[in-house]
Amino acid sequence: MDTPDFPLSVVVTSRNDNHGGSLLRRMQAFVNGFVGQCKRHNLAAELIIVEWNPPADRPPLAEALKWPDDFGPCVVRIIRVPHEIHARLRHSATLPLFQMIAKNVGIRRARGKFVLATNIDILFSDELMEFLASGRLEGGRCYRIDRHDVATDVPVDGSVEEQLTFCRNNFLRLNARVGTFRLTPDGRMCPEQTDVFDEGEFYIDENWSPPDRWYVGGQPSRWLGKETALTLRAPEGPQRPLRMTLVSGPAVGFAPFDLEVRDDAGAVVARGRVDNHLRQFDVSLPLRPGEIGRFRFCVPVPLVAESEGAGRERVLQLNYCERAVRLNYCGWAPAGPCDSVPQPDGLNFADVATPPV
């Protein structure tokens, strides 16, 4: 394509069979919202709807949906893939809609310089539309954005502002690059447990141990194993280190070792000496204010259960292999310099002088 007709083509697929429930309502909100956003931000885009295998006993989407009198700079095209084409494909008797194949049909026929494949129940934020309309998209790149799930009763015929206001006040989940997280209605992440975590947005996965109140005066603690992931959102405002209270556990024989913090790519972003004394550390993580990140806390030394001659059956019964480090507290340190004891060369946990017990 030498001269694209549009800077952007948006491709979706659907059929009038009510899949997912309230299909026409969700799709109407999507069409109204996208056309409204194109007009709001003066984005010349084409919306390609691939109507795959339309049911013979229901009206086609062109008739089932209401269309605006004024499309502004937006153009809508509906590409119908009839049942005869669908029936040629394997498993066609079981699957009435091949979503990814249908989107490829739209992508191959797109007339835009850039193509965005999405779903029929999405509303685009002002921030995203401003970026798409800014001319800053670059060739040879794949772009992604976090998706927020919201309550289903979005005002279908409301203005763009009314729709977005509803979304901002009715969050359910955040689908981020590093995972999916429950949200409070105003958009804050819901921690699965508040026990060892201070105020903030922290998310733990199934590899974490349940809260343990046996060790420190009935106060909760959690165990980190060989490799334990933590997802968190950095607080807004000045950059602050993550403050953690840690002590080595039975899986490492209560011996000192260098705990590593690695990012999703496996690169070590922090390292610090943990021993059998309860210590509080301030850990600087490569996160911008408000950014979400997923980090793995890794024990790079053999565990007791891995050592030659260890009573493996007894060790596994006691879950020693999951108890390398005990975490008593996790939160954000105050902004600004803190009184800390520097770690040895090559380590960048800051050992805070007076940990809580």
Side-chain angles (χ1 to χ4, degrees):
M1 185 185 298
D2 297 328
T3 307
D5 296 335
F6 301 91
L8 178 70
S9 295
V10 175
V11 177
V12 299
T13 184
S14 188
R15 64 195 300 264
N16 187 11
D17 64 354
N18 201 35
H19 61 267
S22 304
L23 173 87
L24 291 178
R25 186 182 191 282
R26 292 182 288 122
M27 195 166 182
Q28 190 69 63
F30 164 73
V31 170
N32 292 354
F34 182 72
V35 173
Q37 283 284 41
C38 286
K39 294 163 66 175
R40 183 178 174 125
H41 295 277
N42 194 31
L43 174 61
E46 67 167 349
L47 171 60
I48 299 176
I49 302 173
V50 180
E51 187 172 13
W52 183 275
N53 185 28
D57 59 344
R58 297 199 178 191
L61 293 175
E63 298 175 9
L65 295 171
K66 295 184 295 184
W67 303 97
D69 295 329
D70 177 16
F71 285 86
C74 180
V75 170
V76 177
R77 298 167 57 201
I78 297 179
I79 300 173
R80 299 185 67 214
V81 178
H83 175 75
E84 294 75 18
I85 301 296
H86 169 77
R88 297 177 187 174
L89 302 178
R90 189 180 180 187
H91 306 302
S92 60
T94 305
L95 296 174
L97 190 157
F98 292 98
Q99 183 179 164
M100 300 310 170
I101 298 175
K103 287 181 178 178
N104 279 334
V105 169
I107 290 171
R108 288 178 66 91
R109 289 157 178 79
R111 298 177 295 181
K113 181 179 180 181
F114 297 96
V115 176
L116 168 60
T118 186
N119 295 331
I120 51 85
D121 52 2
I122 298 291
L123 291 174
F124 292 178
S125 67
D126 276 326
E127 293 82 359
L128 174 58
M129 291 300 292
E130 288 172 1
F131 177 74
L132 295 176
S134 68
R136 289 183 288 155
L137 290 172
E138 299 179 21
R141 294 179 179 270
C142 179
Y143 292 88
R144 67 159 305 277
I145 190 172
D146 293 348
R147 188 190 82 223
H148 291 79
D149 294 341
V150 302
T152 57
D153 45 344
V154 174
V156 174
D157 295 318
S159 65
V160 170
E161 189 55 46
E162 288 171 335
Q163 289 182 332
L164 296 182
T165 298
F166 176 90
C167 293
R168 284 190 288 264
N169 294 316
N170 291 276
F171 288 113
L172 296 175
R173 286 173 297 275
L174 168 64
N175 302 278
R177 180 181 60 85
V178 294
T180 298
F181 314 103
R182 294 184 303 114
L183 297 177
T184 59
D186 60 351
R188 292 180 294 110
M189 288 171 61
C190 300
E192 295 298 318
Q193 299 285 343
T194 57
D195 39 68
V196 298
F197 298 101
D198 203 346
E199 183 177 355
E201 299 182 26
F202 302 94
Y203 183 84
I204 60 177
D205 61 21
E206 65 276 4
N207 292 325
W208 283 73
S209 73
D212 188 340
R213 298 179 181 273
W214 185 77
Y215 271 83
V216 187
Q219 296 300 312
S221 60
R222 284 183 180 268
W223 290 101
L224 282 66
K226 183 73 173 178
E227 185 172 305
T228 310
L230 176 65
T231 302
L232 65 169
R233 187 198 296 270
E236 300 288 352
Q239 202 160 21
R240 297 157 62 182
L242 184 68
R243 180 162 289 183
M244 308 179 76
T245 303
L246 304 168
V247 63
S248 61
V252 293
F254 301 99
F257 70 95
D258 296 342
L259 180 67
E260 294 181 347
V261 183
R262 300 176 184 170
D263 62 16
D264 260 354
V268 177
V269 297
R271 182 186 291 113
R273 177 61 54 89
V274 177
D275 57 25
N276 63 348
H277 296 286
L278 190 67
R279 301 183 188 279
Q280 190 172 81
F281 300 96
D282 283 352
V283 183
S284 296
L285 298 175
L287 283 179
R288 295 184 296 272
E291 184 179 12
I292 296 173
R294 182 175 182 269
F295 299 94
R296 290 176 291 133
F297 293 81
C298 302
V299 179
V301 297
L303 303 186
V304 170
E306 301 169 339
S307 300
E308 184 178 354
R312 181 171 178 78
E313 183 177 352
R314 177 177 177 275
V315 165
L316 293 178
Q317 285 176 349
L318 294 175
N319 291 322
Y320 274 16
C321 58
E322 300 173 359
R323 297 187 173 189
V325 186
R326 179 158 52 86
L327 171 67
N328 277 61
Y329 171 84
C330 182
W332 294 102
C338 60
D339 296 329
S340 62
V341 178
Q343 287 276 304
D345 290 344
L347 306 178
N348 53 356
F349 281 25
D351 187 353
V352 180
T354 311
V357 294

